[in-house]
Amino acid sequence: MQLLPPSAQEPLQAVPSGPYSEPRARPQAAPKAPSLALSPPYLPRIAEGDPQAVEACLQAYSGLVWNIARKSCRDTQEAEDLAQDVFIELWRSADRFDPERSSEVAFVAMVARRRAIDRSRRQGRRAESSEIDEEHADSGPSVFEQAALADEAALASSVLKELKPEQVRVLELALVDGLTHPEIADKTGLPLGTVKTHARRGLLKAREVLENLRRKKS
Amino acid sequence: MTSLDPTQRLEELLDLDALAGLPAEEARELDRLSASVPAKDLSESRFARERAAAALALALGAGQGGPRPPKGFEQRLRARLQAEIRAQDRSGGPLARPAATPAASPAVPRSPRRQWLAPLGFGLAAAAAALWFLSTQEVQRLRGQQGEERGRLAQASEALRAAQDSVGLERARAEGAEKERGRLELELRDALTERDRLRSELDALRLERADRLEELALARGELADLRIRLAESEERSGLLKSLLEGPDEQLDLNRLLTLDGTLRIPWTALADPLIKDSEVSGELVWNSAEGRGYMRFSGLPENDPGQMQYQLWIFDRTLSDATPIDGGVFDIQAGSGELVSIDPKIAVRDAWRFAITLERPGGVVVSDRSRLLLLADA
């Protein structure tokens, strides 16, 4: 699997030949999901300097990162800049990923969300998703739809089932649509205090079940 | 402003930050409150929250569906990543991955040894021996220098250690001051919260006082109205009373006139200077059974009570004509009406004549009858 066109490959020439270097697929033919020969987690291998893991990581998570980025940006260019920043940060902090503490999917989502939130705060504004080019249809099956949800997400789903519909709605507007709490209050007509309470209740329950999961794993 | 204690507030802000980020003011508050928490604990706390938020986001479908990335997105992403990697490799920065080191590179094949190099070996060996001798002396000299350098190094190390101790002390002081500042900031925040609460209470009390004053003003206005109405009512009742008093005598007279045995005798004016030019008329009404009656006058002149008064005399058949019964004195005043009730001093048994004389104020016991004005004979 190639990272770059041949003209831009010099810095990677020192990488030793390994079981994943042959056969190499052309970028144009890259599938949506990463090659079965290289399965997640990719970040520990990126930390070891494996360029194929970089490509696999990019293919596996670009959809996820793009979806999170576009919700918090005004336009496509901003969203793309943000998505690139997220991957650069994943690259830099790959060695901080600890599979004992979280799944890779959740780690990627965490990094992407934190970046998006920090960027919105710096710019003092929020995305208006209508300005993003929506002409493209559904992005098709992602790595999440091909495989089972990460443990955390599966547990979080069970948490959501215990919440009231309006509490789930508040979480959805905050975590999926990227709205601020005052924006959620405006949209739902709920008092701001109630919005915060609903959102915190969901977060608290999710923390509890995830902490239990971590203890079981350890 | 919130009434939560600092720990609860910190928890709340961390939650809200992980869920949707914080506005600038709350972000600064979070930074302030975080200053008093050990960095490791804070990091763990943030991680747990952000992991939960990410898991919820994934469960809610944050990473699925939606529009495709724009055309060429992944290619541009690759190019950006590659540029970063190249830059880091050149600078030896954190992106220069261990696997990219030459140690893992394929071995470079060695070229075959050349035979013509052998005769040179002996010459080289001799040169090497000479070099070894010279280098031994040089080594000893260098060892001496090394000893001196070690001494200097030990001194420098000692100085460095002292400086480190000093720095450590200063750092401890600075940390103490930082903690104290954090504590004072929390106290200040609490005090400001309390101040705001008290201000709110004061505002509420002011509003309440304004309401009370308004009610008081209204009550005073109502009281003034009531006083005016009371005065009007008293005035009206006085008027009514005065109106009723007259008609009482009239009603009594009317009732008396309906009784059997009531006499109605017209007055006869006599030739007294007071009334000789007047047309005095009227009547006397008397009921013997009840022993009382009324007098009506028309044209009888007003008298000055300080000078003279009218006096009524009642002649009773059972008594001597020389000693008629005193019927009382009365006055004729403007507006006092012309109906006068008869109030005998003693009981009248069988009246046959009534006479009006003019006497000194208070009347007399025995009249000289010099000013006899009117008579009414039954």
Side-chain angles (χ1 to χ4, degrees), chain A residues 36-203:
Chain A
L36 289 176
L38 194 60
S39 56
Y42 308 113
L43 292 171
R45 301 185 62 157
I46 290 175
E48 290 168 3
D50 183 348
Q52 292 170 353
V54 176
E55 175 64 23
C57 178
L58 192 152
Q59 286 190 29
Y61 302 125
S62 62
L64 166 65
V65 171
W66 170 254
N67 275 326
I68 291 174
R70 75 185 176 82
K71 288 290 185 181
S72 66
C73 293
R74 281 184 173 178
D75 56 39
T76 309
Q77 186 55 52
E78 267 189 28
E80 191 166 334
D81 288 346
L82 175 58
Q84 290 184 3
D85 289 346
V86 170
F87 273 99
I88 297 293
E89 184 170 334
L90 284 171
W91 176 256
R92 288 176 194 273
S93 59
D95 56 351
R96 293 215 307 271
F97 167 64
D98 179 358
E100 296 294 320
R101 301 183 72 198
S102 72
S103 70
E104 190 170 77
V105 170
F107 185 82
V108 171
M110 273 173 61
V111 170
R113 293 195 72 253
R114 177 41 54 192
R115 272 271 169 183
I117 287 172
D118 288 346
R119 186 186 182 95
S120 294
R121 186 197 296 168
R122 275 200 308 277
Q123 298 183 342
R125 66 190 191 197
R126 281 277 156 185
E128 293 173 24
S129 57
S130 59
E131 293 179 23
I132 299 267
D133 181 8
E134 297 282 4
E135 71 180 16
H136 308 288
D138 187 281
S139 59
S142 69
V143 66
F144 308 107
E145 290 160 325
Q146 292 175 13
L149 278 174
D151 288 346
E152 290 103 316
L155 283 172
S157 290
S158 67
V159 168
L160 292 172
K161 285 175 188 163
E162 292 177 17
L163 298 177
K164 293 177 185 169
E166 64 178 14
Q167 292 173 331
V168 175
R169 177 69 179 143
V170 167
L171 284 171
E172 195 172 30
L173 291 171
L175 297 170
V176 181
D177 292 347
L179 299 188
T180 62
H181 295 115
E183 287 168 343
I184 296 171
D186 281 348
K187 195 175 180 83
T188 58
L190 293 171
L192 182 58
T194 307
V195 167
K196 290 179 177 177
T197 307
H198 283 353
R200 289 188 69 199
R201 185 157 295 141
L203 187 74

Side-chain angles (χ1 to χ4, degrees), chain B residues 332-345:
Chain B
I332 300 296
Q333 301 289 311
S336 63
E338 296 173 338
L339 184 66
V340 179
S341 63
I342 297 172
D343 181 23
K345 301 301 180 191

Side-chain angles (χ1 to χ4, degrees), chain B residues 233-279:
Chain B
S233 173
E234 281 176 347
E235 191 179 344
R236 202 159 44 242
S237 65
L239 186 62
L240 287 171
K241 191 177 174 189
S242 68
L243 289 172
L244 287 171
E245 277 175 352
D248 269 354
E249 288 186 337
Q250 186 64 50
L251 287 172
D252 188 45
L253 172 61
N254 293 341
R255 190 184 65 78
L256 206 60
L257 288 172
T258 60
L259 297 178
D260 289 340
T262 297
L263 301 174
R264 298 183 67 172
I265 311 163
W267 290 110
T268 302
L270 299 178
D272 185 271
L274 183 67
I275 56 171
K276 71 176 182 184
D277 297 327
S278 307
E279 290 185 5

Side-chain angles (χ1 to χ4, degrees), chain A residues 3-4 11 48-49 55 62 67 70 80 84 88 91 101 113-114 121 126 134 138-139 200 207, chain B residues 15 17-21 44 47 49-51 65-67 74 76 78 80 82 84 86 95 97 99:
Chain A
L3 262 177
L4 293 168
E48 290 168 3
E55 175 64 23
S62 62
N67 275 326
R70 75 185 176 82
E80 191 166 334
Q84 290 184 3
I88 297 293
W91 176 256
R101 301 183 72 198
R113 293 195 72 253
R114 177 41 54 192
R121 186 197 296 168
R126 281 277 156 185
E134 297 282 4
D138 187 281
S139 59
R200 289 188 69 199
R207 276 179 62 194
Chain B
D15 283 350
D17 187 40
L19 283 160
E44 286 294 323
F47 179 86
R49 285 171 167 82
E50 293 192 357
R51 181 181 60 172
E74 291 190 359
R76 289 189 290 276
R78 281 189 193 91
R80 169 92 189 273
Q82 197 55 45
E84 287 287 332
R86 277 203 299 272
L95 294 190
R97 298 297 174 197

Side-chain angles (χ1 to χ4, degrees), chain B residues 199-314:
Chain B
R199 275 185 178 165
S200 301
E201 277 185 12
L202 184 61
D203 287 345
L205 286 172
R206 279 182 178 149
L207 285 174
E208 199 174 332
R209 191 185 66 165
D211 288 348
R212 293 282 173 276
L213 286 174
E214 197 173 341
E215 285 173 8
L216 184 62
L218 287 172
R220 280 179 176 158
E222 283 176 7
L223 183 61
D225 285 348
L226 284 173
R227 279 181 177 152
I228 291 169
R229 284 164 60 191
L230 179 62
E232 288 173 353
S233 173
E234 281 176 347
E235 191 179 344
R236 202 159 44 242
S237 65
L239 186 62
L240 287 171
K241 191 177 174 189
S242 68
L243 289 172
L244 287 171
E245 277 175 352
D248 269 354
E249 288 186 337
Q250 186 64 50
L251 287 172
D252 188 45
L253 172 61
N254 293 341
R255 190 184 65 78
L256 206 60
L257 288 172
T258 60
L259 297 178
D260 289 340
T262 297
L263 301 174
R264 298 183 67 172
I265 311 163
W267 290 110
T268 302
L270 299 178
D272 185 271
L274 183 67
I275 56 171
K276 71 176 182 184
D277 297 327
S278 307
E279 290 185 5
V280 179
S281 61
E283 66 177 348
L284 179 132
V285 179
W286 180 257
N287 185 284
S288 292
E290 295 204 2
R292 62 193 189 88
Y294 287 91
M295 295 179 284
R296 277 187 187 161
F297 299 103
S298 175
L300 190 62
E302 293 175 13
N303 66 301
D304 178 359
Q307 297 292 322
M308 302 293 278
Q309 281 192 298
Y310 295 108
Q311 187 166 8
L312 170 68
W313 302 93
I314 304 168

